[in-house]
Amino acid sequence: MHALLDLVARHRQGHAIGVTSICSAHPLVIEASLRHAQRSGQALLLFEATCNQVNQDGGYTGMRPADFVRFVHGIAARVGFDTGRILLGGDHLGPNPWTSLDAAAAMDKAEVMVGAYVAAGFRKIHLDCSMACKGDPEPLPEAEIVRRAVRLCRAAEAAWASAGGEAPVYVIGTEVPVPGGATEAIEGLALTTPAAALTTIEAHRVAFAEAGLDAAWQRVLASVVQPGVEFDHHDVIDYDSDKAQPLSQAVTGVPQLVFEAHSTDYQTRDALAALVRDHFAILKVGPGLTFALREALWALDAIEAEWIDDDRRARLREVTLRRMQESPGYWQRYYHGTGRALTTDLQYSLSDRIRYYWPDPAIEAARARLFDNLRADPPPLPLVSQYLPHALHAVRNGTATFDPQSLAMAHISAVLDDYHHACQDHDLS
């Protein structure tokens, strides 16, 4: 994964350059990202799968690591995107999917998962053992988190030795935000202290050396910290560069590393650029992209309501809400309102639990019918302007068409534009 190591080296040489980590398994988000990278001339594109999405048991997507690789590469082949420019990462790789088991059993499964990721071709590996398993003390002591991370690094190195190819690079860190955003209202958000960040890095360095993993340590490129960005169901905590300066400067004294920022979804363009400038050079985004997808689908549903005869309508929004109520497993632990408040959360929560429902056969059939309807009877420009102004701008610039899929991807691309802008090479000297 020399491309990421080179990027980090350039950043540390004084260039405010970063990389967007796209954490999504939705085919329209993947395709929109590939087409956006084509148009913007990006040299590399980083996709990451989380341990809950993709693992040896199938995860909630039903995909194992090798399946995810084929999935992404298949879309790239259809788009005409060189797979050599695609980097694949594993996010939160550790015992998180199996915390109901005791630590020994959960870590055994985590080892298998990490090995499967590396064997399949994933080369950016986030070692995340920050979660407590059954019987563990909470919070888990940092020394134990580090010990488990070293165990998983050893498994990854063994898988690489067997599979060959480019060596994996690693991300460490013990102050890891909740995957997918906070699950409850944010009462307050404490930034990682510089002392805590440096202590974590040093603890990992020493543990890697004691385990004979010095060569792997040279490929550790980032540590996850909390720079002061987060979102819950209804609110976003915006990045404050002034408050983050002590943490930002702490990493400048550590050879070869930058910080990785999670939960950057819904940050402003300027905030994203400031994060990269402040050495949070890897920007994770996931729910923010599927939230944009949902916005586009609801907009197309509204266009259909005004443009297509009632007896032909797909009624995607109605179908989706009905299926979410009939199968509440993905949201009932997170949304506690009733009536209108619950209906609002089901559709509009920033944590975007709706993303788990797009593969549902009834919902997918309604989505396909909606697209077919709008292809058979394309809506007029003013109606698209009313509901999808960003997409219409792309149509008029020649980077999208009135095809509903193209309109949806153009709306997603408006979010990707902000990340691309933030990660551009700006000389800080």
Side-chain angles (χ1 to χ4, degrees):
M1 182 79 60
H2 297 301
L4 280 181
L5 292 173
D6 288 348
L7 183 146
V8 170
R10 289 173 60 200
H11 182 97
R12 292 189 57 89
Q13 290 165 4
H15 297 269
I17 187 171
V19 64
T20 305
S21 169
I22 297 166
C23 303
S24 179
H26 195 286
L28 280 179
V29 171
I30 300 294
E31 183 171 345
S33 302
L34 290 161
R35 293 190 184 280
H36 182 271
Q38 280 180 324
R39 292 193 303 273
S40 56
Q42 295 176 44
L44 60 91
L45 186 56
L46 173 60
F47 291 111
E48 299 212 39
T50 70
C51 61
N52 290 315
Q53 280 178 329
V54 175
N55 57 52
Q56 68 269 31
D57 298 329
Y60 69 75
T61 64
M63 286 190 280
R64 295 175 174 82
D67 299 325
F68 185 82
V69 175
R70 285 190 291 269
F71 167 69
V72 171
H73 285 185
I75 298 172
R78 177 162 49 79
V79 169
F81 191 92
D82 178 10
T83 57
R85 293 162 57 194
I86 295 175
L87 308 178
L88 294 171
D91 195 23
H92 296 287
L93 297 192
N96 190 55
W98 306 287
T99 53
S100 62
L101 305 176
D102 62 56
M107 285 299 295
D108 284 346
K109 292 186 74 77
E111 275 192 323
V112 172
M113 176 178 64
V114 168
Y117 266 79
V118 174
F122 290 77
R123 287 298 180 267
K124 177 180 178 290
I125 304 297
H126 173 207
L127 303 169
D128 180 10
C129 297
S130 60
M131 64 293 299
C133 299
K134 182 180 178 180
D136 280 339
E138 294 190 55
L140 197 62
E142 182 166 70
E144 181 60 20
I145 296 173
V146 172
R147 187 187 71 79
R148 294 179 186 181
V150 166
R151 176 178 170 183
L152 295 187
C153 181
R154 187 180 289 111
E157 290 288 286
W160 166 55
S162 177
E166 204 164 35
V169 298
Y170 297 101
V171 174
I172 58 170
T174 60
E175 294 200 25
V176 182
V178 177
T183 58
E184 303 292 343
I186 304 171
E187 300 295 336
L189 187 64
L191 280 67
T192 304
T193 66
L198 294 177
T199 297
T200 293
I201 293 169
E202 179 62 10
H204 280 82
R205 186 194 67 77
V206 170
F208 273 56
E210 290 176 347
L213 293 171
D214 301 271
W217 179 257
Q218 297 305 311
R219 289 179 265 113
V220 175
L221 55 81
S223 183
V224 179
V225 292
Q226 176 49 268
V229 299
E230 188 55 275
F231 60 92
D232 59 22
H233 298 319
H234 304 134
D235 295 299
V236 179
I237 293 183
D238 293 314
Y239 179 61
D240 186 329
S241 179
D242 290 340
K243 288 184 179 179
Q245 282 309 301
L247 176 60
S248 167
Q249 293 306 309
V251 79
T252 62
V254 181
Q256 82 195 44
L257 265 67
V258 293
F259 286 135
E260 177 169 285
H262 290 216
S263 299
T264 69
D265 311 69
Y266 313 111
Q267 294 291 312
T268 66
R269 171 178 282 217
D270 288 345
L272 293 171
L275 279 162
V276 173
R277 183 186 66 233
D278 291 345
H279 312 306
F280 305 98
I282 303 173
L283 302 179
K284 294 276 186 148
V285 58
L289 295 174
T290 44
F291 185 91
L293 169 67
R294 195 271 314 148
E295 287 182 323
L297 293 175
W298 266 212
L300 291 167
D301 177 86
I303 290 171
E304 182 192 50
E306 296 202 40
W307 187 245
I308 301 297
D309 292 339
D310 281 353
D311 61 348
R312 293 174 50 215
R313 285 183 56 205
R315 291 179 167 80
L316 172 64
R317 185 169 171 172
E318 295 175 25
V319 171
T320 303
L321 286 172
R322 184 180 72 248
R323 290 295 299 131
M324 292 182 78
Q325 292 281 11
E326 292 170 347
S327 302
Y330 287 121
W331 60 262
Q332 61 185 354
R333 290 173 47 210
Y334 305 94
Y335 304 153
H336 308 300
T338 58
R340 186 177 304 230
L342 177 59
T343 301
T344 298
D345 279 346
L346 291 175
Q347 299 176 84
Y348 305 117
S349 167
L350 296 174
S351 63
D352 193 47
R353 305 299 299 181
I354 200 172
R355 70 186 184 273
Y356 297 95
Y357 289 87
W358 298 128
D360 179 275
I363 295 173
E364 172 56 19
R367 197 276 315 156
R369 184 175 179 183
L370 168 65
F371 281 20
D372 287 344
N373 284 343
L374 296 179
R375 285 178 179 131
D377 292 300
L381 182 150
L383 195 52
V384 176
S385 179
Q386 175 64 36
Y387 292 105
L388 285 168
H390 291 304
L392 179 61
H393 182 72
V395 171
R396 300 187 73 182
N397 279 342
T399 58
T401 70
F402 280 105
D403 181 88
Q405 180 164 315
S406 182
L407 292 172
M409 290 192 296
H411 188 76
I412 296 166
S413 292
V415 178
L416 293 168
D417 281 341
D418 289 344
Y419 280 88
H420 179 61
H421 169 80
C423 291
Q424 288 305 289
D425 190 353
H426 303 289
D427 194 335
L428 293 177
S429 60

